[in-house]
Amino acid sequence: MSEQEAGKGSPKSSSLSPYEEAMEALSSLITRRTRADGTNMGDQFDLLFDYLKMLDLEEPIANMKIIHVAGTKGKGSTCTFTESILRNCGFSTGLFTSPHLIDIRERFRLDGMEICEEKFLAYFWWCYDRLKEKTDDNVPMPTYFRFLALLAFKIFAAEQVDVAIMEVGLGGKYDATNVVQSPIVCGITSLGYDHMEILGNTLGEIAGEKAGIFKNRIPAFTVPQPDEAMHVLEEKASQLNVPLQVVTPLDAKLLNGLKLGLEGEHQYLNAGLSIALCFTWLKRTGNLGDICLEQTDTLSEQFIKGLTSASLQGRAQIVPDHHIKSERSNELVFFLDGAHSPESMEVCARWFSVAIKEYNPDKALFHQQRDISKLSYEVVKTHQGEGGSHIKSTPILLFNCLTVRDPQLLLPHLMETCADHGVYFKKAIFVPSLSVFNKVGPQDYTLIGSKVDLSWQFNLQRVWENLMQCSKGKSTDIVSEELKDDMGMSASNCEHSAVFSSLPLAIKWLRDRVHQNQSVRFQVLVTGSLHLVGDVLKLVKK
């Protein structure tokens, strides 16, 4: 795309970099949306088709060979597996996912790599300037996520990808990605209770929203669902003559002794769904050929490589804190998982309980770093203390969740599942998010949050303390001696938990504890919110 085609954008401040200018413009599109339907002018679903006309995207989308995926849990993982498989089959791929953890460009991947800054800016301003020129009071500028979805379609069309894998942002029926009229195949991942304030209060209502991506006679796949949800999916599929099939988890034996690229037993279910989506895409586009055989019998080399090399940040990811200057690089280790529903909390707890035990201090472990831009593998060397002294592991919880979610549903699932595996948190730390809802891009990360409302974090702390009181007697040595002192930096310190006014302050406190306790390895589970996971990655990796 030439500079003239790309557009030069709106007048910008010379104090900002070109990328920061784009982030400022993007931030201006963020609104507090409650529900996408026909009741609000700015949220009317039909407006999306006006935007497609303005951007000349109707025909390109119609010609695009799209895989469309909705669901409550596992959307990102399923899309990541699907993209990796088809890329390893030799196709050029476009992958649109959400949310991003560190950089907005993570949402747009071309052939497995996040889009480069130069291309992103060119496509961004082309779309933004054209919409600015053509929108008015009756058809206002699209909201944040809608703009990103439109941008994804523009990028994938212009880059002429062979396949575009589109992850639904929220729901399905009224989601911005659902302007797709003729996908090649659709997928519905595991359904559960999430975003109930928008999607409905029952699994049936939620399933109805997700099934909104079904298109007449287009094949669709799902995983085993609760009866209430499955009945709705089957009913919606029947109404549209959709051949809906239920897939089973991938048999690990088909990987020829290798492991999935994404950690956790639940990923075998997502992998099974991705295999069905890829096989159907290959078949319906006339590309099956010699690439793969029936997936129930065997997996081709390309499929195995795609599944075992798939990589996704913020899901069952292990990141040692290299800011600690010492002989050991594993004194402070972050175990990151963006779980934020009751079901995913259990999955996260099972993964963490196994992962901290497998994080062996007596040998070098290879931990795949989920850095999409580098796809590097890093050797994390672990050692015993000086003179071979034993290093004591101390599990700590670092948690936050959105106020629309119920901690009474999330925290008990986490605590009880960990306890079932013999894992007891020595301290729970609650922090507000660094990310703010109305700002994209670089933000000022100060140590002490000024005028931060911590009422939600205090509420989370009360829930945790009550749970700990109820669980007393079930475990021993819950409170660690090395965590009892020096809590002056916290906004509220209780027996089993603490609230900090900012995430940087909490991480500084953890690093200080490491320096003061050379015989302790702090294993910090970061969960409850992908935004929190992203914030931690920004601070630990920068």
Side-chain angles (χ1 to χ4, degrees):
M1 182 183 293
S2 69
E3 183 180 352
Q4 187 175 4
E5 290 176 311
K8 298 180 186 290
S10 305
K12 310 175 187 79
S13 167
S14 59
S15 63
L16 298 177
S17 71
Y19 194 69
E20 288 171 338
E21 290 164 355
M23 293 304 98
E24 287 287 323
L26 183 57
S27 297
S28 71
L29 303 178
I30 297 176
T31 60
R32 285 284 198 184
R33 188 182 68 173
T34 54
R35 188 182 180 90
D37 54 24
T39 59
N40 302 317
M41 173 57 72
D43 278 340
Q44 284 183 0
F45 183 73
D46 288 346
L47 286 179
L48 283 160
F49 297 98
D50 293 321
Y51 301 139
L52 294 185
K53 291 178 182 177
M54 295 175 186
L55 298 173
D56 297 323
L57 283 175
E58 294 169 299
E59 186 177 346
I61 291 177
N63 293 331
M64 216 175 283
K65 295 178 174 62
I66 293 171
I67 297 175
H68 202 190
V69 180
T72 304
K73 307 183 296 289
K75 295 193 302 291
S77 299
T78 298
C79 288
T80 298
F81 280 133
T82 301
E83 185 279 329
S84 186
I85 290 172
L86 292 177
R87 174 163 41 87
N88 278 281
C89 286
F91 298 98
S92 63
T93 61
L95 173 61
F96 176 64
T97 58
S98 60
H100 64 278
L101 298 183
I102 297 176
D103 192 301
I104 195 78
R105 293 180 294 117
E106 296 167 27
R107 296 174 183 246
F108 314 92
R109 276 185 257 171
L110 296 168
D111 296 326
M113 306 285 282
E114 65 183 46
I115 188 171
C116 69
E117 188 172 308
E118 183 181 8
K119 281 186 177 181
F120 174 83
L121 289 174
Y123 291 127
F124 176 90
W125 287 118
W126 188 91
C127 291
Y128 187 87
D129 288 343
R130 179 166 289 205
L131 289 168
K132 267 291 188 184
E133 177 187 343
K134 295 178 179 291
T135 51
D136 53 31
D137 291 341
N138 292 322
V139 183
M141 281 289 285
T143 50
Y144 171 72
F145 182 79
R146 289 183 171 191
F147 179 85
L148 294 178
L150 294 165
L151 178 57
F153 285 122
K154 174 62 182 177
I155 291 170
F156 299 156
E159 293 292 320
Q160 298 182 317
V161 298
D162 296 322
V163 56
I165 300 106
M166 304 295 295
E167 178 192 346
V168 166
L170 181 61
K173 184 177 181 181
Y174 295 113
D175 188 74
T177 62
N178 204 32
V179 295
V180 176
Q181 300 298 296
S182 299
I184 300 298
V185 61
C186 296
I188 306 286
T189 63
S190 298
L191 298 179
Y193 293 100
D194 196 19
H195 296 294
M196 295 162 63
E197 76 285 359
I198 295 176
L199 303 179
N201 295 315
T202 69
L203 274 180
E205 290 175 326
I206 291 170
E209 290 289 329
K210 309 291 186 182
I213 70 168
F214 288 166
K215 301 298 185 298
N216 188 47
R217 299 184 184 279
I218 301 297
F221 294 88
T222 189
V223 298
Q225 307 282 6
D227 289 343
E228 182 184 356
M230 188 60 77
H231 289 324
V232 173
L233 294 181
E234 290 171 343
E235 181 183 357
K236 298 288 185 181
S238 177
Q239 291 170 0
L240 292 169
N241 296 308
V242 169
L244 177 65
Q245 296 183 53
V246 179
V247 301
T248 54
L250 168 68
D251 184 347
K253 295 176 183 176
L254 295 178
L255 294 177
N256 296 340
L258 299 174
K259 287 187 176 183
L260 290 175
L262 305 183
E263 294 283 344
E265 284 300 311
H266 62 293
Q267 295 294 0
Y268 287 89
L269 187 59
N270 297 327
L273 179 56
S274 70
I275 290 169
L277 294 173
C278 291
F279 183 81
T280 303
W281 186 90
L282 290 166
K283 192 173 183 179
R284 295 199 72 220
T285 57
N287 286 301
L288 196 56
D290 297 326
I291 288 177
C292 64
L293 304 172
E294 285 288 346
Q295 66 266 31
T296 52
D297 302 321
T298 185
L299 281 179
S300 70
E301 180 183 343
Q302 298 99 318
F303 270 54
I304 293 174
K305 187 176 180 182
L307 291 166
T308 55
S309 65
S311 171
L312 185 62
Q313 285 200 116
R315 280 77 165 180
Q317 181 181 5
I318 302 173
V319 179
D321 183 15
H322 293 299
H323 290 251
I324 303 294
K325 304 297 183 184
S326 73
E327 293 182 3
R328 292 187 289 124
S329 63
N330 64 316
E331 294 167 319
L332 178 57
V333 184
F334 293 93
F335 295 75
L336 304 118
D337 192 87
H340 51 265
S341 70
E343 298 89 350
S344 58
M345 275 291 147
E346 288 188 23
V347 172
C348 169
R350 288 197 296 271
W351 164 72
F352 177 69
S353 299
V354 172
I356 61 172
K357 294 170 184 175
E358 289 183 346
Y359 198 82
N360 194 331
D362 298 324
K363 62 181 180 181
L365 295 178
F366 286 85
H367 287 295
Q368 183 178 351
Q369 297 303 103
R370 312 298 204 225
D371 187 343
I372 302 301
S373 63
K374 297 180 181 177
L375 288 178
S376 63
Y377 287 78
E378 180 173 348
V379 184
V380 180
K381 294 184 177 180
T382 60
H383 307 278
Q384 288 184 325
E386 289 185 23
S389 60
H390 178 66
I391 300 173
K392 179 182 177 183
S393 293
T394 300
I396 295 174
L397 174 64
L398 181 57
F399 188 92
N400 191 38
C401 66
L402 297 177
T403 55
V404 294
R405 299 202 167 95
D406 186 356
Q408 299 277 11
L409 294 177
L410 300 181
L411 291 173
H413 281 276
L414 179 66
M415 177 187 287
E416 291 165 10
T417 304
C418 283
D420 289 343
H421 288 78
V423 174
Y424 302 91
F425 292 102
K426 309 303 184 186
K427 198 84 173 181
I429 298 173
F430 301 100
V431 294
S433 291
L434 282 176
S435 304
V436 293
F437 83 92
N438 61 347
K439 170 80 172 167
V440 186
Q443 292 165 40
D444 183 24
Y445 296 160
T446 54
L447 280 182
I448 301 176
S450 58
K451 299 180 181 178
V452 176
D453 181 5
L454 297 174
S455 56
W456 178 245
Q457 283 66 43
F458 294 144
N459 180 48
L460 296 175
Q461 183 180 41
R462 283 191 294 272
V463 173
W464 185 262
E465 289 294 328
N466 289 337
L467 287 171
M468 292 300 291
Q469 291 299 323
C470 294
S471 67
K472 272 195 170 180
K474 297 181 182 178
S475 65
T476 57
D477 189 31
I478 288 183
V479 181
S480 296
E481 290 296 326
E482 61 269 12
L483 298 177
K484 283 184 176 179
D485 57 354
D486 194 15
M487 295 300 298
M489 289 189 288
S490 67
S492 171
N493 180 43
C494 295
E495 184 180 2
H496 307 288
S497 62
V499 171
F500 285 85
S501 59
S502 74
L503 175 60
L505 200 60
I507 290 180
K508 181 181 186 303
W509 179 81
L510 285 168
R511 288 169 175 165
D512 289 347
R513 300 287 73 67
V514 169
H515 286 302
Q516 294 174 15
N517 298 276
Q518 293 297 310
S519 62
V520 177
R521 174 182 299 109
F522 292 91
Q523 297 171 313
V524 184
L525 174 61
V526 182
T527 190
S529 163
L530 273 169
H531 298 290
L532 175 63
V533 168
D535 290 339
V536 170
L537 283 172
K538 290 171 190 172
L539 290 171
V540 173
K541 283 193 165 187
K542 73 176 183 178

